Amino acid sequence: VVILDGVTDVRNLGAIARSAEASGAHALIIPNKKTAQVNAEAIKTSAGALSSLPVCRTASLNNALEYLTMNGVQIIAADLSGKGYLHELDLTLPTAIVMGAEGEGIRPHILRQTNHRFRIPMLGTTDSFNVSVAAGIILYESMRQRL
């Protein structure tokens, strides 16, 4: 499952949905407010993935995360201050991946609900990947571990 916290760009939403569907994710969870709309541009960017990947809207990401945790799903988040690296996580377990808005990242109260905060290894001087690129990297690693 992929959870988006504050991602407002429809192109990022579409690109993340495309990577999620191609990697075998089961659903995309987005908040009701302050998020990108699932519109024609998002669907076009997703190459149709938004037509087949379930999109779940929620009034409370907190409640969604609590529900997933109670049902044995580990919650992970890419975070520049994460202690470990993506490839060190066991992604063969039921997993929800939280992705935050560019610039702002994941809100603190959402980060507190995660089981693991990790970094994606980088070599350049840019401080982070674009949110849709980071989601693609994480989803690919999850798929790689499961194959």
Side-chain angles (χ1 to χ4, degrees):
V1 175
V2 178
I3 300 169
L4 303 183
D5 180 30
V7 175
T8 58
D9 185 308
V10 294
R11 291 174 302 277
N12 281 333
L13 171 67
I16 292 167
R18 183 177 185 169
S19 294
E21 195 282 330
S23 301
H26 293 127
L28 184 64
I29 300 175
I30 58 176
N32 285 338
K33 298 177 182 176
K34 297 182 182 179
T35 192
Q37 296 299 308
V38 179
N39 60 20
E41 187 173 358
I43 292 169
K44 180 180 177 183
T45 304
S46 78
L50 282 169
S51 299
S52 60
L53 181 69
V55 177
C56 309
R57 288 194 175 271
T58 181
S60 171
L61 285 181
N62 281 327
N63 290 346
L65 291 169
E66 286 176 16
Y67 180 81
L68 290 167
T69 299
M70 287 188 315
N71 285 282
V73 177
Q74 72 173 338
I75 312 297
I76 67 169
D79 183 24
L80 293 174
S81 62
K83 301 278 189 250
Y85 288 104
L86 170 62
H87 63 273
E88 297 169 340
L89 297 176
D90 182 359
L91 301 177
T92 62
L93 302 171
T95 302
I97 302 163
V98 182
M99 301 302 298
E102 290 204 39
E104 297 169 25
I106 300 166
R107 292 175 293 165
H109 69 282
I110 299 294
L111 265 180
R112 284 192 291 275
Q113 290 188 263
T114 62
N115 302 107
H116 303 286
R117 297 179 204 171
F118 61 89
R119 293 180 304 213
I120 299 172
M122 293 177 48
L123 296 176
T125 58
T126 306
D127 67 343
S128 67
F129 289 102
N130 167 282
V131 66
S132 65
V133 172
I137 292 167
I138 297 163
L139 286 158
Y140 180 81
E141 176 62 16
S142 176
M143 182 181 69
R144 186 193 67 78
Q145 287 187 24
R146 291 167 192 252
L147 293 178

